[in-house]
Amino acid sequence: MSAKPHRTQRYRHLAARALLSCTLLCSTINPALAQNQELPTIGGLGGGLISQQQETEIGEQVLTYLRRSEARIDDPLTEDYLRSLIFRLLPSVPLNDKNIHLVLIDSPALNAFAVPGNIVGVNGGLFLHTDSEQAFSSVLAHELAHLSQRHFSRRLEQQQTNTPMALAGMIAGIVLSAMTRSDVGIAAIVGTQALTAQNMLQYSRAHEQEADRIGLQIMADSGLDPKGMPEMFEQMMRENRLQGSRLPEYLSTHPLTQSRVSDTWARAEQYPDRHVEDSLEFHLARARVQVHYLGTPERAIEQFQRLDAQFPGQINPATSYGLAVALLAGNRTSEAEEILRELLSHQPGRITYMVTLAEALLAQDRNEEANELIRQALTRNPNNLPITDMLARTELALGNSAAAAATLKRLTRDYPDKETLWRRLAEAEGQARNIVGVHQARAEYDLLIGDYSSARRQLLQAQERALPGSPTYQQITERLTALSAATGDQAAIR
């Protein structure tokens, strides 16, 4: 994970394009909408609420724009922890469709959000502002509760906003708010429509109380401590007082009052007392994110050395691991390796340690050692995302591009909506000189970022190179047919 330079300038440019981009995206999700240049009228199924299908379409638009924005953290280890935590909560969430799309936003601000289409966004800053897994989980439980009660749609119905431009502006507002940059506020992009977008993002007190109540139950049913929620709220209130007039991003869309904190404490105390230990993985993931936001490797090394010194004569896994990650970021790879091997001697099977050690070995051009380590890890943890991802990296480092491509193909089957995997697959196929595979992978990447004309070109080029009548040729033709049906362009089918 590395900091992205000139982000403010880039986001200002994104802000200027946001409304136009969202309007274009709205017209490509559904062929009828593309022809009429309209979005669905708000209303429909569900007692006046927008339909589940319309929610899905809104979610697809948001996901498409986020994939194009670059404002995300692409770190398989952190993502894997978040997925595992959400999977722990999901059985207790009253959702019919539990297929959650997780988005990890690259921002140090305290924020999380949930939007139609079962999208849950988490800022990297949420790790920075929580020091316990119970508090961290309470924010996710609260957002999942918003989804389960369709609060976004209910808020939309209250506003009676059913014009295409208002809905496009709302989506743009969601996306830019998720990026949490004050200089690309909603007002800068949609003018008077910003009020609509901002209103859609702000939950009412009744919705917040409902999400609190359901979120507490989700935590209790998931074996977590419900008291983590009021503790998190109190922490937010403290930060709010410290920041003065500038609200934390989360509080701008989730109004928090002292009475709400008191009410949540009263509800949480009705559950049986339980002490739930944080998982080590939470603190390891948090350490990775802390290194990411500490600015420079030198500063991160200094901070984790200071933290590690608080445990003389013993190993604190989280601080030692954070120091190893910082040393690795500072190219002090042999020192990082020493710490990681010490950690592994105490917990030989921990995935996070093994994947990070493999990264340290790759940085020292010890590619065969890294490959062997990861292959052993994969035999114990088949289909694990961080391990399989690192296996592809080690194969590429060894020059085994065909093997790397095969590994990445397996990942794309498990995570078909993760566009970075398709981009890397295209690169691996290129190194393996599989030109048809390059075009196929690139087409899937283009589809996920909403560039349908480029996707069509890639598929046509793949079709030209594929052997007619082969399974690959048939697969490409079927993909072209599906794309043409979605965009209303029958001329693309050959």
Side-chain angles (χ1 to χ4, degrees), residues 459-478:
L459 288 171
L460 288 172
Q461 291 180 59
Q463 191 181 54
E464 288 176 358
R465 291 175 175 269
L467 180 65
S470 66
T472 299
Y473 187 92
Q474 181 63 29
Q475 183 184 50
I476 296 167
T477 302
E478 290 174 357

Side-chain angles (χ1 to χ4, degrees), residues 159-205:
Q159 296 294 321
Q160 297 181 345
T161 305
N162 58 4
T163 65
M165 291 301 288
L167 189 54
M170 175 192 68
I171 295 167
I174 294 169
V175 173
L176 293 178
S177 177
M179 294 177 183
T180 64
R181 308 298 296 184
S182 60
D183 54 346
V184 287
I186 297 169
I189 58 165
V190 290
T192 57
Q193 311 250 343
L195 296 176
T196 300
Q198 185 65 24
N199 287 340
M200 292 306 98
L201 289 165
Q202 288 180 337
Y203 291 110
S204 68
R205 288 186 179 182

Side-chain angles (χ1 to χ4, degrees), residues 242-351:
L242 290 174
Q243 293 186 26
S245 60
R246 182 179 177 183
L247 280 176
E249 188 72 22
Y250 192 76
L251 297 188
S252 69
T253 55
H254 297 69
L256 185 62
T257 62
Q258 188 59 56
S259 62
R260 182 177 161 206
V261 176
S262 301
D263 180 68
T264 309
W265 265 118
R267 291 181 182 276
E269 288 174 347
Q270 294 176 12
Y271 291 91
D273 284 335
R274 62 168 59 158
H275 177 70
V276 183
E277 292 285 346
D278 288 350
S279 72
L280 177 56
E281 281 304 316
F282 166 75
H283 292 283
L284 299 181
R286 184 170 184 261
R288 291 183 68 83
V289 174
Q290 286 175 310
V291 171
H292 178 59
Y293 287 119
L294 277 170
T296 65
E298 292 74 23
R299 184 181 175 191
I301 291 168
E302 181 182 347
Q303 173 152 324
F304 278 98
Q305 282 177 334
R306 187 165 55 249
L307 290 172
D308 209 35
Q310 297 176 9
F311 304 93
Q314 57 181 306
I315 292 180
N316 179 279
T319 58
S320 294
Y321 177 73
L323 178 57
V325 174
L327 289 166
L328 188 55
N331 293 319
R332 294 165 60 174
T333 52
S334 59
E335 295 173 74
E337 178 188 350
E338 182 180 353
I339 293 173
L340 291 164
R341 289 195 183 279
E342 175 69 16
L343 290 169
L344 274 168
S345 70
H346 295 280
Q347 291 184 303
R350 187 163 290 278
I351 293 171

Side-chain angles (χ1 to χ4, degrees), residues 34-46:
Q35 293 172 6
N36 297 332
Q37 295 295 307
E38 290 183 348
L39 290 169
T41 300
I42 302 304
L45 302 179

